[in-house]
Amino acid sequence: MPSALITGITGQDGLYLAETLLDKGYDVHGLIRGQNNPKLDLVRALVPDVRIHHGDLTDLSSLIRALRDSDPQEVYNLGAVSNVAYSWENVALTTDVTAKGTLTVLEAIRLHVDDDLSAIRFYQASSSEMFGKVTEVPQHERTLPWPRSPYGVSKVFGHYMTINYRESYGMHASSGILFNHESPRRGPEFVTRKISQGVARIKLGLQDEIVLGNLDVQRDWGFAGDYVEAMWLMLQQPEGGDYVIATGETHSVRDFVVAAFAHVGIDDWRRHVRQDPRFMRPAEVDLVVGDATLAREVLGWKPTVSFRELVEMMVDSDLEATRQGW
Ligand code: NDP
Ligand code: GDR
């Protein structure tokens, strides 16, 4: 039975990836941080077969211990300070976890496997935020990065460290440049879930308005369940590589708002949406759209959920959760 270790198991992608790997017959291990992590119960409820290891991306010895105890053939580094707005307020923490944390995992693997670096295949969660102020449209694997946030800068560091370990040590290290992907498990601090939760509560008469920042920005939004399959496919290739994972379609935050309200039969969405500079960013990523041709040709990967289906899935899930009082 192949074995995999996932950092960031409590996050949206960690949970979907754990389910995907368990379905494929893997022995799945997850790294959990903190002495009393509130999401541990969620992991135990959703993926009870995952074996838990305690550790932190800023703590090298905890990572070496997790590697020793799980003895994985595949390591998926999904852990990060992943909220872009928060990264300006916590620059040093973001750098320690999202940038240096990636290097710490790579070093832990190097120390753990001694000189046989082919023993472990590594996946790094890179991001379309690396493209920031885009230098070309659409963005592909060789588009010049121009990050616009401490988070984006940290991801660029992790991305190039991953490439460097592949080139320096011949490590099977892959980097998935994933564009925004969402789901009913998305944290409510991200705009899509904030909208789907808000729309559900407005529909059920529990709230009047949603307060948002910039409605004009455009993102390439896909479904997280599709994207974790791409992570796994990358590690099944004969060699490590870098792949853009995206739908190739772009929509504005306003489009998401309109589609979410329309789905619950509210046409006059403007009555329920207020803009507040509090949610504007010091520097914005105005438009990202990915070209996933390489992933389609080499990995045989393509998205299965459309923008409208994604919006409806999230709103329906929040309507159900709100009705049940979850
Ligand atoms: P989440 O924010 O949902 O999950 C982040 C995970 O990182 C959580 O499990 C969190 O644990 C963990 N984490 C945070 N700090 C540490 C630390 N110091 N040590 C160990 N673990 C830590 O992110 P997603 O699931 O959405 O994303 C997964 C990865 O993919 C992230 O690296 C993200 O930056 C990247 N990414 C995401 C995209 C998206 O659209 N979702 C697109 C491109 C890249 P805890 O619960 O304890 O806080
Ligand atoms: P992003 O996602 O920054 O792209 O990072 P987020 O959903 O936070 O923002 C998307 C866009 O929406 C605008 N926006 C708002 N955003 C939030 N969070 N809250 C608001 O009220 C709001 N109003 C408007 C933002 O300005 C932004 O332009 C996500 C994360 O998952 C990263 O970890 C990942 O790498 C990238 O996606 C790809």
Side-chain angles (χ1 to χ4, degrees):
M1 188 191 274
S3 167
L5 174 65
I6 302 172
T7 74
I9 187 94
T10 58
Q12 169 188 257
D13 291 8
L15 290 167
Y16 279 112
L17 180 64
E19 284 173 343
T20 298
L21 295 180
L22 286 167
D23 282 350
K24 294 182 190 298
Y26 276 68
D27 181 17
V28 181
H29 299 256
L31 189 83
I32 299 239
R33 71 179 172 129
Q35 56 189 30
N36 187 18
N37 192 311
K39 294 199 191 142
L40 180 56
D41 289 344
L42 180 71
V43 174
R44 289 213 167 110
L46 289 177
V47 281
D49 292 333
V50 166
R51 289 199 254 169
I52 301 299
H53 303 267
H54 293 276
D56 195 294
L57 288 172
T58 59
D59 183 338
L60 176 68
S61 57
S62 74
L63 296 176
I64 293 175
R65 197 166 47 247
L67 286 166
R68 189 193 62 204
D69 295 347
S70 57
D71 194 22
Q73 286 87 56
E74 297 174 8
V75 172
Y76 295 86
N77 184 35
L78 310 187
V81 170
S82 79
N83 189 271
V84 175
Y86 179 84
S87 77
W88 272 282
E89 288 153 25
N90 297 271
V91 189
L93 178 69
T94 303
T95 309
D96 284 348
V97 176
T98 307
K100 229 175 116 203
T102 306
L103 174 60
T104 310
V105 179
L106 287 163
E107 269 303 285
I109 292 173
R110 218 160 71 84
L111 292 167
H112 171 69
V113 298
D114 206 0
D115 53 3
D116 182 15
L117 275 160
S118 65
I120 291 184
R121 295 181 173 200
F122 176 75
Y123 173 84
Q124 168 60 11
S126 289
S127 165
S128 52
E129 281 294 298
M130 300 190 309
F131 298 127
K133 190 174 176 181
V134 298
T135 53
E136 60 183 320
V137 179
Q139 298 85 50
H140 55 82
E141 291 77 8
R142 283 164 311 287
T143 297
L144 183 72
W146 194 312
R148 298 267 280 172
S149 64
Y151 168 82
V153 173
S154 298
K155 282 291 179 186
V156 171
F157 176 89
H159 181 69
Y160 283 100
M161 252 331 154
T162 302
I163 294 172
N164 186 258
Y165 270 57
R166 184 167 74 223
E167 293 180 351
S168 303
Y169 305 117
M171 190 170 173
H172 193 299
S174 292
S175 180
I177 307 169
L178 271 52
F179 283 59
N180 298 55
H181 45 281
E182 319 292 315
S183 74
R185 291 181 186 161
R186 187 60 142 152
E189 66 274 29
F190 299 97
V191 76
T192 55
R193 186 75 197 291
K194 185 172 170 182
I195 296 167
S196 66
Q197 268 190 343
V199 166
R201 289 178 58 79
I202 289 168
K203 176 67 181 172
L204 298 176
L206 299 171
Q207 173 177 328
D208 280 336
E209 62 175 13
I210 309 174
V211 185
L212 295 170
N214 195 332
L215 301 184
D216 297 320
V217 290
Q218 289 173 266
R219 289 289 184 277
D220 179 331
W221 277 299
F223 170 55
D226 286 342
Y227 286 44
V228 298
E229 183 70 20
M231 298 175 186
W232 175 77
L233 284 167
M234 285 175 217
L235 297 206
Q236 310 318 305
Q237 302 310 304
E239 290 182 353
D242 309 316
Y243 298 90
V244 160
I245 303 297
T247 69
E249 254 186 51
T250 183
H251 296 272
S252 67
V253 171
R254 184 178 287 99
D255 292 339
F256 199 103
V257 168
V258 172
F261 275 108
H263 184 53
V264 297
I266 299 176
D267 293 328
D268 189 9
W269 61 271
R270 283 188 181 79
R271 235 168 25 93
H272 299 288
V273 174
R274 182 161 61 84
Q275 280 183 282
D276 189 321
R278 234 171 1 117
F279 297 108
M280 307 283 187
R281 297 180 178 179
E284 185 56 274
V285 171
D286 296 323
L287 161 75
V288 279
V289 55
D291 174 358
T293 305
L294 188 68
R296 193 174 60 246
E297 289 179 357
V298 177
L299 308 178
W301 180 87
K302 59 179 192 329
T304 66
V305 177
S306 71
F307 174 72
R308 186 158 296 277
E309 287 166 342
L310 177 65
V311 175
E312 295 181 358
M313 175 203 303
M314 292 179 70
V315 173
D316 286 342
S317 166
D318 278 320
L319 277 171
E320 178 66 11
T322 311
R323 281 197 190 103
Q324 303 287 339
W326 292 340

